[in-house]
Amino acid sequence: MINKIVVLLSLVFILYSCQNDDQKRIAENKKEIQKREVILKNIEKGWVFYDTPVTEAAENSLANWNEWRVFFVELAQKPKKTIGCFQQKSKALTKKAMALNDNIPGAYSIPAIKSRISTVVAKTQMLDLYINLDNIPDKKVVKLIAEINLELVSLQRQMEKTVDKSKIPVEVGESDLIKMRDASRAIPNVIIDENIPRVE
């Protein structure tokens, strides 16, 4: 009889503890859902890209540079509703940013512009990384979006400088001077040893 009472009390205790665990789990799930909603709202507020060119050179590049135009179209489309949509958008942005390195117009194929493109690519990859974490750091994501905007403005201003430099006329003799400064065309400095026999 005592055994039956002990078994019955232990069953009641186990059922009560399991029920208590379920309530804890439900409360934790609610907290997690609320946390994700706050993160989503913060990311949604901060997801503002400069999707229009800020310089004339960048605007003219939209017509000639297909990858540049596709990247700006991708920036203009804002995802909605879920974190998954933002994750997909960040992956698409990363792919489009990496494509900027392909088919760079000849006028912009200089180290200053290529380095700025690499910075934009790195920042979009970081955005993709942060937004795909299990515990999304929403403040870092919003900060990265602002940094990407700054890098895009810097890239566009460098494009404008490049166009302005190309408009400066070359002075008479300047091209010859540039050729003379080229180290690959210079006569090598070879010390001639007088003691070595030479064929003349």
Side-chain angles (χ1 to χ4, degrees):
M1 183 73 176
I2 294 176
N3 288 339
K4 289 181 180 180
I5 293 174
V6 170
V7 169
L8 184 63
L9 287 175
S10 62
L11 281 174
V12 168
F13 178 74
I14 290 172
L15 288 174
Y16 180 74
S17 64
C18 289
Q19 191 178 29
N20 198 11
D21 286 345
D22 287 342
Q23 290 173 352
K24 286 180 184 177
R25 202 172 310 122
I26 290 170
E28 288 175 6
N29 286 343
K30 284 182 181 178
K31 286 181 184 177
E32 186 65 31
I33 289 170
Q34 289 173 348
K35 183 180 174 184
R36 285 190 163 263
E37 286 175 0
V38 168
I39 289 172
L40 177 64
K41 286 179 185 177
N42 289 342
I43 291 174
E44 213 169 6
K45 283 181 191 175
W47 196 277
V48 179
F49 286 104
Y50 298 151
D51 57 351
T52 54
V54 295
T55 64
E56 188 178 327
E59 194 170 327
N60 292 338
S61 297
L62 288 176
N64 303 330
W65 190 5
N66 190 37
E67 290 81 5
W68 182 254
R69 188 179 78 253
V70 169
F71 181 67
F72 269 90
V73 167
E74 195 69 40
L75 284 177
Q77 299 168 352
K78 184 175 180 178
K80 293 182 181 175
K81 296 186 181 177
T82 64
I83 292 288
C85 293
F86 283 96
Q87 291 170 339
Q88 290 174 352
K89 176 56 79 172
S90 68
K91 283 181 184 158
L93 277 175
T94 301
K95 287 180 184 178
K96 303 295 192 252
M98 288 172 44
L100 288 175
N101 286 319
D102 302 335
N103 303 323
I104 298 174
Y108 299 139
S109 187
I110 59 173
I113 289 181
K114 287 181 179 180
S115 67
R116 283 169 175 79
I117 290 173
S118 297
T119 306
V120 169
V121 170
K123 297 282 184 183
T124 55
Q125 287 174 336
M126 284 177 59
L127 175 69
D128 187 34
L129 173 79
Y130 282 143
I131 207 160
N132 283 297
L133 292 174
D134 290 334
N135 192 4
I136 300 171
D138 53 333
K139 292 177 183 173
K140 286 185 179 181
V141 169
V142 171
K143 183 180 176 188
L144 266 172
I145 291 170
E147 290 175 7
I148 290 170
N149 283 332
L150 289 175
E151 294 301 330
L152 282 171
V153 169
S154 174
L155 171 61
Q156 293 177 48
R157 289 197 174 130
Q158 186 61 46
M159 292 165 71
E160 190 73 30
K161 284 181 186 176
T162 304
V163 169
D164 289 345
K165 282 183 182 179
S166 68
K167 291 179 182 177
I168 298 172
V170 178
E171 293 182 15
V172 177
E174 186 177 358
S175 59
D176 293 334
L177 182 64
I178 291 171
K179 286 180 186 177
M180 288 174 51
R181 291 179 56 196
D182 186 9
S184 65
R185 297 177 38 96
I187 299 172
N189 285 339
V190 179
I191 300 173
I192 300 174
D193 189 5
E194 299 290 329
N195 297 330
I196 298 177
R198 293 181 281 166
V199 179
E200 293 184 25

